[in-house]
Amino acid sequence: MKYRTVFDIIGPIMIGPSSSHTAGAARIGKVARTLFAEKPDQANIYFYGSFAKTYRGHATDVAIVGGILDFETSDERITEALTIAKDQNIEVNFFEEEAIAEHPNTAKIILSKGNHKLELVGISIGGGKIEITELNGFALKLSGNHPAILVVHNDRYGVIAGVSHVLAKYEINIGHMEVSRKERGKEALMVIEVDQNVENPLLVELEKLPNIMNVTKIHD
Amino acid sequence: MFKNVAELINLAEVNEKKISEVMIEQEMEVTGRTREDITSQMEKNLHVMKAAVERGISEKVRSVSGLTGGDAVLLQDYINRGNYLSSETVLDAVSKAVATNEVNAAMGMICATPTAGSAGVVPGVLFGMTKRLKPTDEQMVRYLFVAGAFGFVVANNASISGAAGGCQAEVGSATGMAAAALVELAGGTPRQSAEAMAIALKNMLGLVCDPVAGLVEVPCVKRNAIGASIAVVAADMALAGITSRIPCDEVIDAMYKIGQTMPEALRETGQGGLAATKTGRELEAKIYGESQKRK
């Protein structure tokens, strides 16, 4: 079931005017910022479908930048997001895409700072609820509603066992997990949704495992 | 976990519980949170709704586009003159639904129920009833859990997104949710809640999402207004003992299928329906001429 809690229906508390096009957009932006883990110098934002056709009217552009600035959906600073981004020297560019995306409310965000780059595709599925469907070219399904650990690793046997062993040691329960790879034996991505926020020592321990390239986390 | 309205009603009847109670208990089970934690979050939502209603009925808010604002105040003044045709309760609910959506369109703070574009109906009906039913704070919070329970079923079995299912999925769902919640608030049975939801939603089937210039303003604000009036009347009908020939779950399923066959131009793209009328297009050209200057 897509919706699990009553607060997906009665909520979120948010700045208007649209839960899917404003609050959802802000949430997609915020997940991108969380995963990027620092203030970007540049944000390129691509809108598809209904997002492309109506983003100005719904302030989708303003809201998604608000999210990239790490604002919550109910943060009144969202209305000033474009100005605040400018003040923080973040270059923001919007692109209206003609291509037909699988979901009508789709946005792609590319954040960069020097060599550090992140590419993420998110969809806004209604009532402010979102899913991240692509990260740096990997297909995935991530709600951003639960704490999660993202592990970039080499596609080798035993890597998943190693990671789950460390999680077990820290008594972290896995709620949902998926593995995605671009090509057999090459780079792969593990997405692990967990029940509680995880501490840094665990992430450091994961990074020391063989064949692990990068570990990031998303908090509640 | 209840998957449909039939299961929800059954859980309430077998355990002799209110729908709000079934929803609260499920929330505790699914999230592992305490009752106090859950109800206090819902209280916060209630406060945001109340603040939006109060702002909208006392201040002539204006949206950035200038398309909407001030109608809630007009209705309140009209009610106060006492010379109305329907009833004070209905008009108060309508004006408070409008108030919420006007605040939303002005980029003010609201609580999505189930979405922002349909955020007026559920609080509008609730705050329109405070004079008539004098609910306690606890009853008002419970009203929101009932609305949430029915919205939960719609969201999981159909859709609450205008882009996916048209306005019937947004204001239609909200209207059904408010009707069902009002029945419990007025002392009706769980089954009567389901009947009210079915009666209300049936009258929203086929409603397209055709916002002028793609904005959550025209016709969204007035659809929330009339949605609130339908919710109140549907609740009255259910409380009178009237039932829906088509069960609530099947009405929800019909809504889903209608949404799937709805052309894209009528699903929140600003390309068909009222958006594509002569005046709709003129307003769009005027607004985007102005909004370009924002950059």
PDB file of all heavy atoms in Angstrom, chain A residues 54-85:
ATOM      1  N   THR A  54       2.856  23.538 -15.663  1.00  0.00           N
ATOM      2  CA  THR A  54       2.208  24.417 -14.668  1.00  0.00           C
ATOM      3  C   THR A  54       3.123  24.860 -13.527  1.00  0.00           C
ATOM      4  O   THR A  54       2.631  25.359 -12.527  1.00  0.00           O
ATOM      5  CB  THR A  54       0.993  23.702 -14.041  1.00  0.00           C
ATOM      6  OG1 THR A  54       1.458  22.619 -13.233  1.00  0.00           O
ATOM      7  CG2 THR A  54       0.040  23.154 -15.076  1.00  0.00           C
ATOM      8  N   TYR A  55       4.435  24.693 -13.687  1.00  0.00           N
ATOM      9  CA  TYR A  55       5.286  24.936 -12.509  1.00  0.00           C
ATOM     10  C   TYR A  55       5.266  26.372 -12.013  1.00  0.00           C
ATOM     11  O   TYR A  55       5.351  26.624 -10.824  1.00  0.00           O
ATOM     12  CB  TYR A  55       6.717  24.447 -12.756  1.00  0.00           C
ATOM     13  CG  TYR A  55       7.561  25.271 -13.697  1.00  0.00           C
ATOM     14  CD1 TYR A  55       8.369  26.298 -13.225  1.00  0.00           C
ATOM     15  CD2 TYR A  55       7.551  25.017 -15.064  1.00  0.00           C
ATOM     16  CE1 TYR A  55       9.156  27.044 -14.085  1.00  0.00           C
ATOM     17  CE2 TYR A  55       8.328  25.763 -15.928  1.00  0.00           C
ATOM     18  CZ  TYR A  55       9.133  26.777 -15.433  1.00  0.00           C
ATOM     19  OH  TYR A  55       9.906  27.508 -16.279  1.00  0.00           O
ATOM     20  N   ARG A  56       5.114  27.334 -12.942  1.00  0.00           N
ATOM     21  CA  ARG A  56       5.115  28.731 -12.492  1.00  0.00           C
ATOM     22  C   ARG A  56       3.899  29.022 -11.631  1.00  0.00           C
ATOM     23  O   ARG A  56       4.001  29.634 -10.583  1.00  0.00           O
ATOM     24  CB  ARG A  56       5.125  29.666 -13.692  1.00  0.00           C
ATOM     25  CG  ARG A  56       6.481  29.786 -14.336  1.00  0.00           C
ATOM     26  CD  ARG A  56       6.511  31.007 -15.238  1.00  0.00           C
ATOM     27  NE  ARG A  56       7.406  30.798 -16.337  1.00  0.00           N
ATOM     28  CZ  ARG A  56       7.049  30.271 -17.504  1.00  0.00           C
ATOM     29  NH1 ARG A  56       5.796  29.919 -17.722  1.00  0.00           N
ATOM     30  NH2 ARG A  56       7.936  30.110 -18.449  1.00  0.00           N
ATOM     31  N   GLY A  57       2.745  28.547 -12.089  1.00  0.00           N
ATOM     32  CA  GLY A  57       1.509  28.827 -11.376  1.00  0.00           C
ATOM     33  C   GLY A  57       1.443  28.189 -10.001  1.00  0.00           C
ATOM     34  O   GLY A  57       0.817  28.723  -9.091  1.00  0.00           O
ATOM     35  N   HIS A  58       2.064  27.032  -9.866  1.00  0.00           N
ATOM     36  CA  HIS A  58       2.024  26.333  -8.582  1.00  0.00           C
ATOM     37  C   HIS A  58       3.228  26.647  -7.707  1.00  0.00           C
ATOM     38  O   HIS A  58       3.387  26.063  -6.648  1.00  0.00           O
ATOM     39  CB  HIS A  58       2.005  24.817  -8.806  1.00  0.00           C
ATOM     40  CG  HIS A  58       0.702  24.304  -9.304  1.00  0.00           C
ATOM     41  ND1 HIS A  58       0.584  23.574 -10.465  1.00  0.00           N
ATOM     42  CD2 HIS A  58      -0.538  24.400  -8.804  1.00  0.00           C
ATOM     43  CE1 HIS A  58      -0.685  23.240 -10.641  1.00  0.00           C
ATOM     44  NE2 HIS A  58      -1.385  23.730  -9.649  1.00  0.00           N
ATOM     45  N   ALA A  59       4.088  27.525  -8.216  1.00  0.00           N
ATOM     46  CA  ALA A  59       5.329  27.838  -7.494  1.00  0.00           C
ATOM     47  C   ALA A  59       6.155  26.571  -7.256  1.00  0.00           C
ATOM     48  O   ALA A  59       6.854  26.444  -6.255  1.00  0.00           O
ATOM     49  CB  ALA A  59       5.048  28.557  -6.169  1.00  0.00           C
ATOM     50  N   THR A  60       6.084  25.620  -8.204  1.00  0.00           N
ATOM     51  CA  THR A  60       6.881  24.397  -8.117  1.00  0.00           C
ATOM     52  C   THR A  60       8.369  24.746  -8.129  1.00  0.00           C
ATOM     53  O   THR A  60       9.167  24.151  -7.390  1.00  0.00           O
ATOM     54  CB  THR A  60       6.568  23.464  -9.314  1.00  0.00           C
ATOM     55  OG1 THR A  60       5.158  23.307  -9.402  1.00  0.00           O
ATOM     56  CG2 THR A  60       7.212  22.100  -9.157  1.00  0.00           C
ATOM     57  N   ASP A  61       8.721  25.736  -8.953  1.00  0.00           N
ATOM     58  CA  ASP A  61      10.118  26.160  -9.056  1.00  0.00           C
ATOM     59  C   ASP A  61      10.613  26.733  -7.723  1.00  0.00           C
ATOM     60  O   ASP A  61      11.668  26.373  -7.224  1.00  0.00           O
ATOM     61  CB  ASP A  61      10.300  27.182 -10.205  1.00  0.00           C
ATOM     62  CG  ASP A  61       9.273  28.314 -10.181  1.00  0.00           C
ATOM     63  OD1 ASP A  61       8.323  28.252  -9.370  1.00  0.00           O
ATOM     64  OD2 ASP A  61       9.418  29.268 -10.975  1.00  0.00           O
ATOM     65  N   VAL A  62       9.789  27.585  -7.135  1.00  0.00           N
ATOM     66  CA  VAL A  62      10.141  28.207  -5.851  1.00  0.00           C
ATOM     67  C   VAL A  62      10.290  27.131  -4.765  1.00  0.00           C
ATOM     68  O   VAL A  62      11.252  27.113  -4.004  1.00  0.00           O
ATOM     69  CB  VAL A  62       9.047  29.230  -5.434  1.00  0.00           C
ATOM     70  CG1 VAL A  62       9.382  29.849  -4.089  1.00  0.00           C
ATOM     71  CG2 VAL A  62       8.879  30.303  -6.506  1.00  0.00           C
ATOM     72  N   ALA A  63       9.311  26.197  -4.755  1.00  0.00           N
ATOM     73  CA  ALA A  63       9.273  25.177  -3.703  1.00  0.00           C
ATOM     74  C   ALA A  63      10.451  24.204  -3.806  1.00  0.00           C
ATOM     75  O   ALA A  63      11.053  23.836  -2.799  1.00  0.00           O
ATOM     76  CB  ALA A  63       7.959  24.412  -3.770  1.00  0.00           C
ATOM     77  N   ILE A  64      10.780  23.789  -5.026  1.00  0.00           N
ATOM     78  CA  ILE A  64      11.850  22.798  -5.186  1.00  0.00           C
ATOM     79  C   ILE A  64      13.185  23.418  -4.761  1.00  0.00           C
ATOM     80  O   ILE A  64      14.023  22.758  -4.134  1.00  0.00           O
ATOM     81  CB  ILE A  64      11.862  22.242  -6.638  1.00  0.00           C
ATOM     82  CG1 ILE A  64      12.431  20.821  -6.666  1.00  0.00           C
ATOM     83  CG2 ILE A  64      12.634  23.119  -7.599  1.00  0.00           C
ATOM     84  CD1 ILE A  64      12.113  20.049  -7.941  1.00  0.00           C
ATOM     85  N   VAL A  65      13.353  24.707  -5.047  1.00  0.00           N
ATOM     86  CA  VAL A  65      14.560  25.401  -4.604  1.00  0.00           C
ATOM     87  C   VAL A  65      14.536  25.532  -3.078  1.00  0.00           C
ATOM     88  O   VAL A  65      15.563  25.364  -2.407  1.00  0.00           O
ATOM     89  CB  VAL A  65      14.699  26.776  -5.302  1.00  0.00           C
ATOM     90  CG1 VAL A  65      15.841  27.582  -4.700  1.00  0.00           C
ATOM     91  CG2 VAL A  65      14.929  26.579  -6.799  1.00  0.00           C
ATOM     92  N   GLY A  66      13.355  25.780  -2.513  1.00  0.00           N
ATOM     93  CA  GLY A  66      13.208  25.801  -1.052  1.00  0.00           C
ATOM     94  C   GLY A  66      13.699  24.504  -0.438  1.00  0.00           C
ATOM     95  O   GLY A  66      14.410  24.495   0.563  1.00  0.00           O
ATOM     96  N   GLY A  67      13.322  23.384  -1.063  1.00  0.00           N
ATOM     97  CA  GLY A  67      13.783  22.076  -0.589  1.00  0.00           C
ATOM     98  C   GLY A  67      15.287  21.938  -0.700  1.00  0.00           C
ATOM     99  O   GLY A  67      15.950  21.433   0.214  1.00  0.00           O
ATOM    100  N   ILE A  68      15.837  22.417  -1.822  1.00  0.00           N
ATOM    101  CA  ILE A  68      17.287  22.346  -2.024  1.00  0.00           C
ATOM    102  C   ILE A  68      18.007  23.211  -0.976  1.00  0.00           C
ATOM    103  O   ILE A  68      19.136  22.939  -0.590  1.00  0.00           O
ATOM    104  CB  ILE A  68      17.649  22.758  -3.479  1.00  0.00           C
ATOM    105  CG1 ILE A  68      17.124  21.700  -4.449  1.00  0.00           C
ATOM    106  CG2 ILE A  68      19.149  22.954  -3.654  1.00  0.00           C
ATOM    107  CD1 ILE A  68      17.159  22.091  -5.913  1.00  0.00           C
ATOM    108  N   LEU A  69      17.306  24.233  -0.476  1.00  0.00           N
ATOM    109  CA  LEU A  69      17.853  25.066   0.610  1.00  0.00           C
ATOM    110  C   LEU A  69      17.646  24.403   1.970  1.00  0.00           C
ATOM    111  O   LEU A  69      17.949  24.994   3.011  1.00  0.00           O
ATOM    112  CB  LEU A  69      17.196  26.443   0.599  1.00  0.00           C
ATOM    113  CG  LEU A  69      17.531  27.343  -0.591  1.00  0.00           C
ATOM    114  CD1 LEU A  69      16.606  28.556  -0.634  1.00  0.00           C
ATOM    115  CD2 LEU A  69      18.988  27.789  -0.535  1.00  0.00           C
ATOM    116  N   ASP A  70      17.061  23.189   1.963  1.00  0.00           N
ATOM    117  CA  ASP A  70      16.844  22.396   3.173  1.00  0.00           C
ATOM    118  C   ASP A  70      15.651  22.875   4.007  1.00  0.00           C
ATOM    119  O   ASP A  70      15.590  22.626   5.204  1.00  0.00           O
ATOM    120  CB  ASP A  70      18.125  22.376   4.047  1.00  0.00           C
ATOM    121  CG  ASP A  70      18.305  21.026   4.751  1.00  0.00           C
ATOM    122  OD1 ASP A  70      17.609  20.084   4.363  1.00  0.00           O
ATOM    123  OD2 ASP A  70      19.117  20.942   5.685  1.00  0.00           O
ATOM    124  N   PHE A  71      14.675  23.549   3.366  1.00  0.00           N
ATOM    125  CA  PHE A  71      13.481  23.998   4.088  1.00  0.00           C
ATOM    126  C   PHE A  71      12.429  22.891   4.118  1.00  0.00           C
ATOM    127  O   PHE A  71      12.277  22.138   3.166  1.00  0.00           O
ATOM    128  CB  PHE A  71      12.853  25.229   3.413  1.00  0.00           C
ATOM    129  CG  PHE A  71      13.744  26.436   3.374  1.00  0.00           C
ATOM    130  CD1 PHE A  71      13.483  27.474   2.483  1.00  0.00           C
ATOM    131  CD2 PHE A  71      14.840  26.561   4.218  1.00  0.00           C
ATOM    132  CE1 PHE A  71      14.289  28.598   2.429  1.00  0.00           C
ATOM    133  CE2 PHE A  71      15.657  27.682   4.178  1.00  0.00           C
ATOM    134  CZ  PHE A  71      15.381  28.698   3.273  1.00  0.00           C
ATOM    135  N   GLU A  72      11.662  22.838   5.227  1.00  0.00           N
ATOM    136  CA  GLU A  72      10.516  21.937   5.334  1.00  0.00           C
ATOM    137  C   GLU A  72       9.340  22.508   4.531  1.00  0.00           C
ATOM    138  O   GLU A  72       9.324  23.700   4.227  1.00  0.00           O
ATOM    139  CB  GLU A  72      10.078  21.804   6.800  1.00  0.00           C
ATOM    140  CG  GLU A  72      11.122  21.246   7.743  1.00  0.00           C
ATOM    141  CD  GLU A  72      11.292  19.739   7.611  1.00  0.00           C
ATOM    142  OE1 GLU A  72      10.426  19.083   6.997  1.00  0.00           O
ATOM    143  OE2 GLU A  72      12.297  19.223   8.112  1.00  0.00           O
ATOM    144  N   THR A  73       8.307  21.667   4.274  1.00  0.00           N
ATOM    145  CA  THR A  73       7.140  22.134   3.491  1.00  0.00           C
ATOM    146  C   THR A  73       6.398  23.271   4.199  1.00  0.00           C
ATOM    147  O   THR A  73       5.705  24.037   3.552  1.00  0.00           O
ATOM    148  CB  THR A  73       6.129  21.004   3.261  1.00  0.00           C
ATOM    149  OG1 THR A  73       5.722  20.485   4.540  1.00  0.00           O
ATOM    150  CG2 THR A  73       6.718  19.873   2.443  1.00  0.00           C
ATOM    151  N   SER A  74       6.532  23.343   5.529  1.00  0.00           N
ATOM    152  CA  SER A  74       5.792  24.363   6.276  1.00  0.00           C
ATOM    153  C   SER A  74       6.655  25.584   6.602  1.00  0.00           C
ATOM    154  O   SER A  74       6.238  26.451   7.352  1.00  0.00           O
ATOM    155  CB  SER A  74       5.260  23.758   7.575  1.00  0.00           C
ATOM    156  OG  SER A  74       6.346  23.298   8.361  1.00  0.00           O
ATOM    157  N   ASP A  75       7.838  25.662   6.026  1.00  0.00           N
ATOM    158  CA  ASP A  75       8.747  26.768   6.316  1.00  0.00           C
ATOM    159  C   ASP A  75       8.363  27.978   5.453  1.00  0.00           C
ATOM    160  O   ASP A  75       8.424  27.904   4.222  1.00  0.00           O
ATOM    161  CB  ASP A  75      10.196  26.332   6.015  1.00  0.00           C
ATOM    162  CG  ASP A  75      11.221  27.298   6.580  1.00  0.00           C
ATOM    163  OD1 ASP A  75      10.963  28.519   6.554  1.00  0.00           O
ATOM    164  OD2 ASP A  75      12.276  26.835   7.047  1.00  0.00           O
ATOM    165  N   GLU A  76       7.992  29.060   6.107  1.00  0.00           N
ATOM    166  CA  GLU A  76       7.506  30.219   5.341  1.00  0.00           C
ATOM    167  C   GLU A  76       8.591  30.859   4.470  1.00  0.00           C
ATOM    168  O   GLU A  76       8.276  31.630   3.564  1.00  0.00           O
ATOM    169  CB  GLU A  76       6.844  31.239   6.273  1.00  0.00           C
ATOM    170  CG  GLU A  76       5.463  30.747   6.667  1.00  0.00           C
ATOM    171  CD  GLU A  76       4.758  31.587   7.713  1.00  0.00           C
ATOM    172  OE1 GLU A  76       5.451  32.238   8.510  1.00  0.00           O
ATOM    173  OE2 GLU A  76       3.518  31.555   7.716  1.00  0.00           O
ATOM    174  N   ARG A  77       9.847  30.533   4.730  1.00  0.00           N
ATOM    175  CA  ARG A  77      10.923  31.059   3.879  1.00  0.00           C
ATOM    176  C   ARG A  77      10.835  30.504   2.456  1.00  0.00           C
ATOM    177  O   ARG A  77      11.464  31.036   1.542  1.00  0.00           O
ATOM    178  CB  ARG A  77      12.292  30.708   4.479  1.00  0.00           C
ATOM    179  CG  ARG A  77      12.619  31.477   5.757  1.00  0.00           C
ATOM    180  CD  ARG A  77      13.929  31.016   6.346  1.00  0.00           C
ATOM    181  NE  ARG A  77      13.872  29.617   6.763  1.00  0.00           N
ATOM    182  CZ  ARG A  77      14.917  28.929   7.226  1.00  0.00           C
ATOM    183  NH1 ARG A  77      16.104  29.499   7.291  1.00  0.00           N
ATOM    184  NH2 ARG A  77      14.786  27.674   7.601  1.00  0.00           N
ATOM    185  N   ILE A  78      10.036  29.432   2.261  1.00  0.00           N
ATOM    186  CA  ILE A  78       9.885  28.850   0.921  1.00  0.00           C
ATOM    187  C   ILE A  78       9.473  29.907  -0.098  1.00  0.00           C
ATOM    188  O   ILE A  78       9.985  29.936  -1.216  1.00  0.00           O
ATOM    189  CB  ILE A  78       8.872  27.672   0.932  1.00  0.00           C
ATOM    190  CG1 ILE A  78       9.582  26.390   1.381  1.00  0.00           C
ATOM    191  CG2 ILE A  78       8.257  27.456  -0.451  1.00  0.00           C
ATOM    192  CD1 ILE A  78       8.732  25.150   1.319  1.00  0.00           C
ATOM    193  N   THR A  79       8.576  30.801   0.303  1.00  0.00           N
ATOM    194  CA  THR A  79       8.086  31.798  -0.665  1.00  0.00           C
ATOM    195  C   THR A  79       9.215  32.685  -1.195  1.00  0.00           C
ATOM    196  O   THR A  79       9.111  33.246  -2.266  1.00  0.00           O
ATOM    197  CB  THR A  79       6.998  32.695  -0.032  1.00  0.00           C
ATOM    198  OG1 THR A  79       7.527  33.263   1.169  1.00  0.00           O
ATOM    199  CG2 THR A  79       5.750  31.900   0.312  1.00  0.00           C
ATOM    200  N   GLU A  80      10.296  32.803  -0.427  1.00  0.00           N
ATOM    201  CA  GLU A  80      11.425  33.649  -0.838  1.00  0.00           C
ATOM    202  C   GLU A  80      12.612  32.821  -1.345  1.00  0.00           C
ATOM    203  O   GLU A  80      13.730  33.327  -1.446  1.00  0.00           O
ATOM    204  CB  GLU A  80      11.903  34.506   0.347  1.00  0.00           C
ATOM    205  CG  GLU A  80      10.838  35.415   0.953  1.00  0.00           C
ATOM    206  CD  GLU A  80      10.318  36.426  -0.068  1.00  0.00           C
ATOM    207  OE1 GLU A  80      11.124  36.865  -0.918  1.00  0.00           O
ATOM    208  OE2 GLU A  80       9.118  36.739  -0.029  1.00  0.00           O
ATOM    209  N   ALA A  81      12.373  31.549  -1.646  1.00  0.00           N
ATOM    210  CA  ALA A  81      13.483  30.626  -1.936  1.00  0.00           C
ATOM    211  C   ALA A  81      14.386  31.093  -3.079  1.00  0.00           C
ATOM    212  O   ALA A  81      15.615  30.982  -2.976  1.00  0.00           O
ATOM    213  CB  ALA A  81      12.945  29.226  -2.223  1.00  0.00           C
ATOM    214  N   LEU A  82      13.796  31.626  -4.141  1.00  0.00           N
ATOM    215  CA  LEU A  82      14.625  32.020  -5.291  1.00  0.00           C
ATOM    216  C   LEU A  82      15.593  33.140  -4.910  1.00  0.00           C
ATOM    217  O   LEU A  82      16.762  33.123  -5.296  1.00  0.00           O
ATOM    218  CB  LEU A  82      13.742  32.433  -6.476  1.00  0.00           C
ATOM    219  CG  LEU A  82      12.873  31.322  -7.079  1.00  0.00           C
ATOM    220  CD1 LEU A  82      12.059  31.847  -8.251  1.00  0.00           C
ATOM    221  CD2 LEU A  82      13.709  30.122  -7.517  1.00  0.00           C
ATOM    222  N   THR A  83      15.103  34.089  -4.124  1.00  0.00           N
ATOM    223  CA  THR A  83      15.956  35.194  -3.669  1.00  0.00           C
ATOM    224  C   THR A  83      17.027  34.684  -2.711  1.00  0.00           C
ATOM    225  O   THR A  83      18.197  35.089  -2.805  1.00  0.00           O
ATOM    226  CB  THR A  83      15.091  36.245  -2.926  1.00  0.00           C
ATOM    227  OG1 THR A  83      13.891  36.414  -3.669  1.00  0.00           O
ATOM    228  CG2 THR A  83      15.792  37.565  -2.810  1.00  0.00           C
ATOM    229  N   ILE A  84      16.611  33.799  -1.801  1.00  0.00           N
ATOM    230  CA  ILE A  84      17.573  33.269  -0.816  1.00  0.00           C
ATOM    231  C   ILE A  84      18.683  32.483  -1.530  1.00  0.00           C
ATOM    232  O   ILE A  84      19.864  32.609  -1.196  1.00  0.00           O
ATOM    233  CB  ILE A  84      16.852  32.394   0.236  1.00  0.00           C
ATOM    234  CG1 ILE A  84      15.855  33.261   1.036  1.00  0.00           C
ATOM    235  CG2 ILE A  84      17.855  31.738   1.194  1.00  0.00           C
ATOM    236  CD1 ILE A  84      14.926  32.484   1.952  1.00  0.00           C
ATOM    237  N   ALA A  85      18.305  31.698  -2.551  1.00  0.00           N
ATOM    238  CA  ALA A  85      19.301  30.933  -3.312  1.00  0.00           C
ATOM    239  C   ALA A  85      20.313  31.880  -3.953  1.00  0.00           C
ATOM    240  O   ALA A  85      21.517  31.632  -3.937  1.00  0.00           O
ATOM    241  CB  ALA A  85      18.612  30.076  -4.364  1.00  0.00           C
TER     242      ALA A  85
END
